Amino acid sequence: VNGLDFNETHSPAVNYCTVRTMCAAAAECNMVLTGSDDTQAYLQADRTGPTRYAKMPEGYERVINGVEHCVKVGNLYGAPDAGRYLYMTKRAWLLDYGFTQSAWDPCLFVYTDGEGARLWLCMYVDDHLYAHTRGSDIRDKFMEAYKARFVCTDRGVNISASGEFCSMRIRQGDG
């Protein structure tokens, strides 16, 4: 119920112009494009809102020892606010890691390590597109930390392995 179970449902997704601009900038800077995909993403979100309950399925007793029971609901696919909780969880984690959030696209994050290597991240719900400094281990270090918090599938060292991000075909040469 709106206002009881949730108040806000908006969750941003990366703008396609941002993705195209990042790909062009990565080509100009001779960066490597890679990707990853979170596994069962909504279930990995921190739920900080009000506790939400659902009715017991038919066939189960609602009243046990004089107490009415129902099922506690967490972040589920299809819940109006699940995407927002996922975005807020990942955003907080990325900022804690040291990323800077873009002022013009809330799903673009930029990180520079102490050696000047760069890692750019476009986030579309549970899909990520990265551009990182060629010859640097910045992405490997990031993915190690990311996988310690989120379960994800690493799409490999080069975007050519999957060739797609958000239904956009991406091809990258060897530099």
Side-chain angles (χ1 to χ4, degrees):
V1 176
N2 189 7
L4 178 62
D5 294 322
F6 58 90
N7 292 314
E8 297 184 46
T9 60
H10 174 74
S11 176
V14 71
N15 187 305
Y16 282 98
C17 290
T18 302
V19 175
R20 289 192 298 268
T21 302
M22 186 176 99
C23 288
E28 180 65 26
C29 296
N30 195 28
M31 297 173 83
V32 178
L33 292 174
T34 58
S36 71
D37 179 27
D38 291 339
T39 305
Q40 297 182 342
Y42 291 147
L43 302 178
Q44 299 185 58
D46 297 331
R47 181 159 173 71
T48 57
T51 302
R52 184 173 36 227
Y53 295 94
K55 293 179 182 176
M56 290 290 282
E58 280 192 40
Y60 288 89
E61 292 185 43
R62 289 182 52 139
V63 180
I64 302 171
N65 295 329
V67 178
E68 187 172 15
H69 288 75
C70 53
V71 178
K72 185 176 178 181
V73 178
N75 289 322
L76 298 177
Y77 285 83
D81 55 354
R84 179 174 179 76
Y85 284 114
L86 176 62
Y87 170 78
M88 298 303 286
T89 300
K90 288 175 19 173
R91 177 186 177 273
W93 189 91
L94 290 168
L95 294 175
D96 283 346
Y97 187 84
F99 277 85
T100 301
Q101 187 175 20
S102 165
W104 62 88
D105 190 323
C107 293
L108 173 64
F109 295 85
V110 178
Y111 176 75
T112 305
D113 71 10
E115 299 171 7
R118 294 173 292 174
L119 176 62
W120 302 337
L121 163 62
C122 281
M123 184 169 60
Y124 188 90
V125 188
D126 61 349
D127 293 317
H128 305 136
L129 178 66
Y130 307 95
H132 65 92
T133 303
R134 191 175 296 278
S136 167
D137 64 351
I138 189 171
R139 184 181 180 277
D140 294 337
K141 289 178 181 177
F142 167 76
M143 287 305 294
E144 183 179 332
Y146 190 80
K147 286 180 176 182
R149 169 56 180 90
F150 299 97
V151 178
C152 73
T153 301
D154 192 345
R155 296 289 181 207
V157 247
N158 193 307
I159 195 69
S160 302
S162 64
E164 273 191 19
F165 177 73
C166 297
S167 299
M168 295 173 68
R169 227 168 259 263
I170 300 172
R171 293 187 188 205
Q172 182 178 31
D174 290 332

